[in-house]
Amino acid sequence: MNRRIFKVLEFNKIIDRLSSQAASSLGKEKAATLMPSTNLEEVINWQQETDQAAQVLRLKGNVPLGGIFNIKPSIKRTVIGGTLNPQECLDVASTIYGGKQIKLFIDNIEEPEMPIIRELTELIVPLNELERKIKSCIDDHGHVMDGASDKLRTIRTKIRTNESRVRDKLDSLTKTKSKMLSDAIVTIRNDRYVLPVKQEYRGAIGGIVHDQSASGVTLFIEPQAVVDLNNQLQEARVQERNEIERILRDVSQAIAADEAFLYQNVEALAQIDFIFARAKLGQLMKAAMPTMNDQGIIRMKQARHPLIDGEEVVPNDVEIGQSFTSIVITGPNTGGKTVTLKMVGLCTLMAQSGLQIPALDGCEMAVFNDVFADIGDEQSIEQSLSTFSSHMTNIVDILKHVDEQTLVLFDELGAGTDPQEGAALAMAILDEVVHRGARTIATTHYPELKAYGYNREGVINASVEFDVQTLRPTYRLLIGVPGRSNAFEIASRLGLEEPIITTAKSHIGTDSKSVENMIASLEDSRRAAERDYDEAAQVLAEAEDLKRDIENQWSEFESKREEMYKKAEQKAEKAVLKAREEAELIISELKTMKNSAAIKEHEWIEARKMLDEATPNLSNKQAKAQTSKVNESHSLQPGDEVMLLKLNRQGTITEKISEKEFQVQVGIMKVKVKRNELQFVKREEPLVQRPMATVKGAGYHVKPELDLRGERFDEALHRLEKYVDDALLAGYPRVSIIHGKGTGALRTGVQEFAKRHSKVSSYRAGEMNEGGSGVTVLEF
């Protein structure tokens, strides 16, 4: 991408703002070298990085990126054998600590998902041992501590002892020889303790002269009595410097040993700081992440120029690349045409650099191979070129590189020459750029271009709005409406007499009047459309409010209905429980009656009546539903399995009394049931089902149960074998063998017989209402 565009669109100012958001010199360095990418995948990845960082800022407010330094030069020096000073070592430790802090911060964030940033933090190696080694030797002020080594502690103890002895000796001299001193103090010259002695007492004090005052009146003399002590002190200080040098050399070697990890940490931290700087800039601009494409489509809602104060700039909707590929903007000076032009170009560069753009969510930007612009007065005095020549030189250069992957911005195309020729030239240049497929936005004053968009496919006119009442531009971009000159309206508002204006209008050609009238009509239509849009928006808002109210009421109704259903279910459960208890009582009484004596018909009727009364009452809706099921057109025959709806139990039809009444075997009980109280379940095929069978040679009817109670074991098994054969011939799907409980021998014999018999598919003990363990039910 050509670098000239960065200066024309002031992209360098965006870079400066970005750099100011970086927390470290590492981030600032990356920000300063930021360049737009022309690779779609790379741009999408950059935008995702910025968006993930922006989500963290929205949730957490800030990130801990303090204490990070560019330690690359220091690392390089240690690798080639150099020794770092204490502050450089401390910067290394601080950077290690800063890396651990940001790693911990990111690891503790559960939401949102930010795979790119997490991947970067995983590269940070917590070099705890190296950090501890540095911190154990150097304090927070950059001084090597006494505890850095035992030898250093001993040397410094010796230094403090010698300093104390020297001071004590000199303090005593200041007291005894105060008249000979210019001031009764102990001072230092050339790293040795001395006394300020008056010139005339030089011989009286004796010793080594290290310095004198500017006037020569005072000499700074090291008395002979402390020369040896000062020598010992200097020797100890030399030892201290050597030991400190050794300690720093040792620490530097440890830093060099972790060279690879430190470089890796620095690169990861630089990238993290850079990403968060981009997110902070987007937050500052109230920007949004654009969706990127390589089809040349730009769609921005309420976009603002990034470098204009948000309180002053007027947001505009801009769209290009889908329905049309070129926009020609007309309108008055200072109306905002150039600002719109620069905004589109600058936002494009920002988007291709991974920066969010100042527009509403849902914006879409394109990745171009190049962005070209011819904006402003670029007259070159040195080259003796006029404004027109300068623009033409630039345009000629642009036309050499234009293709379908470029964005071209022309400001005042064709200006600086004869209006008629300039307009013709402008239209020819636009035709060429449009023909090559480039995305183009051009501004112009020429009235000939106001109808350009109506005669060219893929081109649309636009204008910046002007308020005739206030005589000021509104800075609103109007797509599809060319601009009017408004000269007569402005002149009239400013007080020019009406006859003059009328005369001026008479000089305007018919074509010009038609164009102006057309534009005025378009503006009226636009205003009417905006009013209709506002009304429609209001109606839509009211409809949405009504929809929410209805949804809330429906939700409340559903909640109440669910509550009523629960109450009904609880009530029904209690009714069913009561019915079960009463049914158990009826069954118990039936067993007693059966065991005591033969059951009479009126007793059966009474028992059935009790069962009917024990059945819980169903709602009309349920009753109707069941009735509809009962009345299915299915003829019932003996042997059919049916459901007794009132008892909610399954049984087998043993006899068809009439078309509307059947005798049904339910366990050990036979009941007469009406047709509408029965529901067909299944029919055994292909066996022929009969309500009762008379076996040839047998002098009795085959019943669905066999009572073996009181029989001897052998006789009982003989009767069982014969009965099973007869039941099979009768076509029964199942029979009940009543053997009683007793010792359990007969039950065991019946079950062993059932296991051996090839026609018995399964057997089971009777249920409570079938006789329990005193009955075995055989299934064929």
Side-chain angles (χ1 to χ4, degrees):
M1 188 171 289
N2 70 96
R3 291 182 175 272
R4 176 182 168 277
I5 194 69
F6 301 152
K7 180 181 178 182
V8 173
L9 297 179
E10 300 178 289
F11 184 65
N12 58 310
K13 292 184 179 179
I14 296 294
I15 295 298
D16 292 341
R17 290 192 179 187
L18 177 63
S19 298
S20 67
Q21 297 301 318
S24 67
S25 58
L26 294 168
K28 293 180 187 299
E29 183 180 333
K30 276 193 167 290
T33 58
L34 178 63
M35 290 283 291
S37 172
T38 57
N39 183 284
L40 178 62
E41 289 185 6
E42 186 175 40
V43 172
I44 291 173
N45 187 65
W46 287 356
Q47 287 290 349
Q48 289 174 346
E49 288 177 351
T50 309
D51 184 58
Q52 290 174 21
Q55 291 182 57
V56 174
L57 290 177
R58 280 195 294 269
L59 288 174
K60 300 296 182 180
N62 210 335
V63 288
L65 285 167
I68 298 171
F69 300 93
N70 185 6
I71 57 174
K72 291 182 189 176
S74 299
I75 299 171
K76 186 175 182 180
R77 281 221 325 277
T78 61
V79 171
I80 61 176
T83 302
L84 303 182
N85 62 44
Q87 187 57 51
E88 290 173 326
C89 294
L90 202 60
D91 287 348
V92 173
S94 179
T95 302
I96 294 172
Y97 178 76
K100 292 195 300 182
Q101 288 298 104
I102 187 64
K103 183 181 180 70
L104 181 64
F105 175 80
I106 297 298
D107 288 346
N108 288 336
I109 299 176
E110 296 181 0
E111 293 290 341
E113 292 296 327
M114 40 185 177
I116 300 175
I117 296 178
R118 291 190 191 280
E119 187 177 341
L120 284 172
T121 56
E122 287 174 3
L123 296 174
I124 299 174
V125 182
L127 301 171
N128 296 322
E129 187 175 345
L130 178 59
E131 183 190 4
R132 279 195 298 270
K133 184 177 184 65
I134 296 172
K135 289 293 185 70
S136 66
C137 296
I138 304 167
D139 63 18
D140 293 339
H141 302 289
H143 301 298
V144 179
M145 297 184 291
D146 294 357
S149 72
D150 293 338
K151 184 176 181 180
L152 183 61
R153 181 182 290 108
T154 302
I155 293 170
R156 285 185 172 168
T157 301
K158 182 178 179 182
I159 289 172
R160 285 189 285 272
T161 301
N162 287 337
E163 284 180 339
S164 179
R165 291 171 61 190
V166 170
R167 281 187 169 279
D168 290 344
K169 189 69 173 175
L170 292 177
D171 284 341
S172 65
L173 287 174
T174 59
K175 293 175 183 178
T176 58
K177 300 181 181 295
S178 59
K179 292 182 180 180
M180 301 178 185
L181 304 177
S182 299
D183 199 353
I185 60 170
V186 176
T187 186
I188 296 175
R189 289 293 186 275
N190 299 326
D191 292 332
R192 299 177 77 89
Y193 288 99
V194 296
L195 294 175
V197 181
K198 295 177 182 178
Q199 175 70 30
E200 59 268 26
Y201 295 108
R202 173 179 179 177
I205 293 294
I208 303 171
V209 177
H210 286 278
D211 198 3
Q212 67 177 7
S213 64
S215 62
V217 174
T218 302
L219 299 176
F220 295 95
I221 298 175
E222 179 185 0
Q224 192 64 44
V226 296
V227 170
D228 289 340
L229 291 174
N230 265 332
N231 287 341
Q232 294 174 12
L233 182 60
Q234 287 300 315
E235 184 180 350
R237 284 175 174 164
V238 171
Q239 292 174 352
E240 178 191 32
R241 282 196 296 272
N242 291 338
E243 180 61 14
I244 289 174
E245 182 67 22
R246 186 196 66 77
I247 292 169
L248 292 177
R249 189 164 52 252
D250 182 50
V251 171
S252 299
Q253 289 172 355
I255 292 172
D258 285 330
E259 168 206 4
F261 293 132
L262 286 170
Y263 273 126
Q264 181 174 304
N265 285 7
V266 168
E267 288 299 326
L269 289 170
Q271 187 64 21
I272 290 171
D273 188 16
F274 177 47
I275 291 172
F276 276 100
R278 298 190 330 239
K280 289 175 185 176
L281 181 63
Q283 196 176 54
L284 193 67
M285 292 181 174
K286 297 179 182 178
M289 182 186 79
T291 302
M292 304 304 300
N293 67 80
D294 56 0
Q295 283 85 45
I297 298 172
I298 295 175
R299 188 182 294 110
M300 294 187 287
K301 294 290 184 182
Q302 298 296 287
R304 307 175 302 278
H305 194 289
L307 298 176
I308 300 178
D309 191 318
E311 299 297 325
E312 299 177 2
V313 67
V314 175
N316 275 304
D317 296 345
V318 178
E319 184 175 344
I320 189 173
Q322 200 161 24
S323 301
F324 44 87
T325 60
S326 299
I327 301 175
V328 178
I329 306 174
T330 55
N333 286 331
T334 69
K337 298 193 303 296
T338 305
V339 170
T340 301
L341 211 64
K342 286 188 173 182
M343 177 193 73
V344 175
L346 191 52
C347 286
T348 298
L349 296 181
M350 289 173 63
Q352 291 187 222
S353 302
L355 300 176
Q356 296 181 340
I357 62 171
L360 297 183
D361 288 337
C363 51
E364 188 172 2
M365 298 298 292
V367 174
F368 295 102
N369 289 338
D370 246 318
V371 178
F372 297 103
D374 179 59
I375 298 175
D377 185 2
E378 300 184 15
Q379 181 175 355
S380 173
I381 298 175
E382 293 81 1
Q383 297 178 3
S384 301
L385 296 176
S386 66
T387 302
F388 177 75
S389 299
S390 176
H391 281 300
M392 279 298 107
T393 302
N394 190 26
I395 290 170
V396 168
D397 184 60
I398 290 173
L399 290 175
K400 293 177 182 177
H401 305 93
V402 168
D403 58 25
E404 67 277 0
Q405 292 296 321
T406 57
L407 173 65
V408 184
L409 308 172
F410 291 127
D411 187 31
E412 300 299 342
L413 184 60
T417 186
D418 176 75
Q420 191 172 358
E421 292 181 355
L425 195 59
M427 285 190 283
I429 293 170
L430 284 175
D431 282 341
E432 178 65 20
V433 175
V434 171
H435 175 70
R436 296 190 190 182
R439 302 301 182 264
T440 310
I441 303 178
T443 68
T444 181
H445 275 300
Y446 294 134
E448 289 84 353
L449 289 174
K450 291 180 180 179
Y452 181 79
Y454 295 99
N455 303 324
R456 303 294 193 282
E457 185 179 352
V459 183
I460 194 169
N461 282 108
S463 62
V464 285
E465 191 178 49
F466 187 86
D467 191 339
V468 180
Q469 302 300 319
T470 61
L471 303 181
R472 295 182 63 184
T474 64
Y475 303 104
R476 291 183 59 202
L477 181 67
L478 307 175
I479 301 291
V481 180
R484 298 172 60 193
S485 64
N486 299 305
F488 297 141
E489 289 83 352
I490 295 172
S492 177
R493 294 281 298 174
L494 293 176
L496 188 63
E497 295 178 359
E498 190 62 31
I500 299 176
I501 295 175
T502 303
T503 303
K505 287 181 178 180
S506 67
H507 295 314
I508 298 295
T510 303
D511 291 344
S512 297
K513 288 180 181 178
S514 299
V515 171
E516 290 297 321
N517 291 335
M518 177 192 68
I519 295 173
S521 176
L522 285 173
E523 289 183 347
D524 292 340
S525 300
R526 177 188 58 78
R527 292 192 184 96
E530 287 181 350
R531 285 195 300 270
D532 292 343
Y533 176 82
D534 292 339
E535 291 176 3
Q538 184 177 356
V539 172
L540 177 61
E542 291 173 356
E544 288 178 347
D545 291 341
L546 182 60
K547 179 175 176 287
R548 279 193 295 270
D549 290 341
I550 293 173
E551 287 176 347
N552 293 336
Q553 291 176 14
W554 178 257
S555 177
E556 186 178 350
F557 167 74
E558 288 283 337
S559 178
K560 288 182 179 179
R561 186 175 68 171
E562 188 67 25
E563 186 178 352
M564 292 175 68
Y565 276 155
K566 287 181 180 178
K567 289 181 179 178
E569 286 174 0
Q570 292 171 358
K571 186 176 180 181
E573 187 176 357
K574 290 179 181 178
V576 170
L577 182 61
K578 182 181 178 183
R580 285 179 180 172
E581 291 174 352
E582 293 179 0
E584 290 293 336
L585 179 61
I586 293 169
I587 292 169
S588 177
E589 291 180 0
L590 287 173
K591 287 181 180 177
T592 304
M593 292 164 64
K594 183 173 179 62
N595 292 334
S596 61
I599 301 174
K600 297 179 180 179
E601 186 66 24
H602 72 277
E603 292 173 337
W604 275 110
I605 294 171
E606 185 66 26
R608 185 177 170 195
K609 183 179 179 182
M610 291 176 66
L611 280 172
D612 291 342
E613 291 174 352
T615 304
N617 293 327
L618 299 172
S619 66
N620 293 334
K621 185 177 179 180
Q622 291 173 315
K624 289 178 182 177
Q626 290 190 346
T627 302
S628 66
K629 291 181 180 178
V630 169
N631 290 333
E632 293 178 358
S633 58
H634 208 297
S635 62
L636 299 180
Q637 300 175 9
D640 288 353
E641 290 189 33
V642 292
M643 177 67 70
L644 281 72
L645 297 176
K646 286 191 175 183
L647 294 178
N648 195 28
R649 294 195 56 79
Q650 195 166 315
T652 304
I653 295 177
T654 59
E655 184 180 354
K656 183 177 180 180
I657 298 171
S658 68
E659 291 296 331
K660 295 184 178 182
E661 193 172 16
F662 296 83
Q663 187 179 50
V664 182
Q665 178 81 33
V666 183
I668 62 171
M669 183 173 64
K670 291 182 180 179
V671 292
K672 291 181 181 179
V673 187
K674 293 182 179 179
R675 175 64 181 85
N676 61 1
E677 296 176 358
L678 294 176
Q679 180 178 354
F680 176 78
V681 176
K682 68 177 181 178
R683 176 178 297 162
E684 293 293 331
E685 297 292 349
L687 295 177
V688 178
Q689 299 180 357
R690 296 183 291 271
M692 188 69 74
T694 303
V695 182
K696 185 177 180 181
Y700 58 88
H701 292 291
V702 178
K703 298 180 179 180
E705 78 272 346
L706 174 64
D707 193 346
L708 299 176
R709 288 177 296 183
E711 299 278 351
R712 293 176 59 189
F713 185 81
D714 292 337
E715 292 177 357
L717 291 183
H718 179 72
R719 281 190 63 194
L720 173 63
E721 184 175 2
K722 187 175 184 306
Y723 171 76
V724 169
D725 291 341
D726 292 343
L728 287 170
L729 289 173
Y732 288 151
R734 71 179 62 78
V735 293
S736 299
I737 310 300
I738 305 170
H739 44 66
K741 297 180 181 178
T743 61
L746 188 54
R747 178 176 65 246
T748 303
V750 171
Q751 293 177 355
E752 288 294 330
F753 171 83
K755 287 182 182 177
R756 295 193 306 270
H757 202 290
S758 60
K759 297 298 183 179
V760 178
S761 60
S762 64
Y763 66 90
R764 61 177 174 80
E767 297 180 359
M768 291 300 297
N769 58 357
E770 294 175 329
S773 60
V775 174
T776 297
V777 179
L778 306 183
E779 302 275 354
F780 298 131

